[in-house]
Structure formats: structure tokens, C-alpha cells
Amino acid sequence: MLQTMRLVSPMQRPSQSKKYEDDEEGHYIQYTVADLNPNLRPCGGTKPGKIHFTAEMESKAFIAWKTVVPDDIGNCTIKLSDGADDQDFEVLLPLDNSAYKKRQRGYFPCGRTKSDMEGKEIKFPRNVTCDACFIQLIWATKNTGHQFMCADIEILGGDIEDCSGQCMNGGMCVNGGCQCRKGYTGNFC
């Protein structure tokens, strides 16, 4: 399946495997093109990568995308995940009040015309900090169904977290403590 929209800012997870020289512990999993499908939850088959975007809690950010093949009834939803199992999402509503808010769905019109840059300004939630969060952009279309794109980000609070960089086995530092993946426990997983 061809990806017909691409997350531009923050930078979308790469759709090609890349080996990082400073990845001695193998944090960035390699994958093949067969793993990639923009219709796969939560991120179109892409794996976590380097963080290229840092923000403060309650700060504003412009989330931008490029539409290659438009869909005349396309809608987008922007979500934030701070969960280690990619299932804990919070909808981030655009600040221009263009989102459908009933039942916290948060979708809005997007990708309806071909464009090099389209986007919405959002505000990160209060009391959410993490060293390995991700933003998920979901594009719902008539022709291709739902396409999922993600960008790895870091959200800082007033102080750097005590556990930042110390969580092991894929755990994430969230609000000062390690949130472990299934099967791992302890202060640092």
C-alpha cells in the first residue's frame, strides 16, 4: 500500500531501516519493507527511532503534513501516546476549534487537496512528561481507509526526570517514573 500522506513536522518515523552508530544496546529495531503498511496501527509498521522533537508540557506546537494523493472527504486526528505499550493515547485538539469534539474523537478535515504543507497548532497537556512519547497522525479516507503516521518526541517538565535515560527493556520515563512494557517490572524495568 502506498502512503499518500506524510507527517512533516515533527519528523515522521523513517520508513527505511537505519542503523545508528550510537545504538550499542539495540534500542532501534530493524525492519524490512514487508513490515511497512500505512494502515497498520499504531504507526504504519514503523518502529521507534531517534527523537527529533522536544517540547515542554503545556507548550504549543505546529503539526504539519504533506498530502500526495488527496481524498475529498479526508479527516485527521492527532494523538499523543506516553504509554509503553502503544495503547494509551490522548487526543490533541487543534487550537483553531476545527475538530469534532463529541465523545473526544477530535477529527477534523484534512488532506482534501494536494499540498506540500498543511497543519494544525496543538497544545501539549499539563502534567505529562516523557522521554519517549510519540505523536500519532491518523488520516481517515474514503479510498485507502485509515493511515497511521508517528513521530517520536520528548516532553519535558520544569525539571529533568529522575528516570530519564535509565528505563531499560523498552520502558519509558513518564512523569518521573519508569513505565514498563508487558513482562517487565521494577523501578527501571
Side-chain angles (χ1 to χ4, degrees), residues 63-101:
I63 309 301
W65 53 89
K66 175 181 181 175
T67 304
V68 179
V69 179
D71 189 293
D72 59 351
I73 61 166
N75 288 304
C76 287
T77 306
I78 301 170
K79 296 183 177 185
L80 173 69
S81 174
D82 64 355
D85 289 313
D86 302 337
Q87 295 178 11
D88 302 319
F89 288 98
E90 181 172 342
V91 174
L92 300 176
L93 298 174
L95 297 180
D96 65 1
N97 292 318
S98 61
Y100 178 78
K101 297 174 189 163

Side-chain angles (χ1 to χ4, degrees), residues 2-31:
L2 176 66
Q3 187 173 16
T4 56
M5 180 183 277
R6 180 141 186 88
L7 187 59
V8 175
S9 177
M11 186 181 356
Q12 183 172 330
R13 287 181 176 173
S15 59
Q16 298 174 343
S17 293
K18 182 174 181 178
K19 180 69 176 158
Y20 294 98
E21 291 181 20
D22 61 346
D23 186 25
E24 296 170 6
E25 297 178 21
H27 291 291
Y28 305 108
I29 302 168
Q30 300 292 304
Y31 52 89

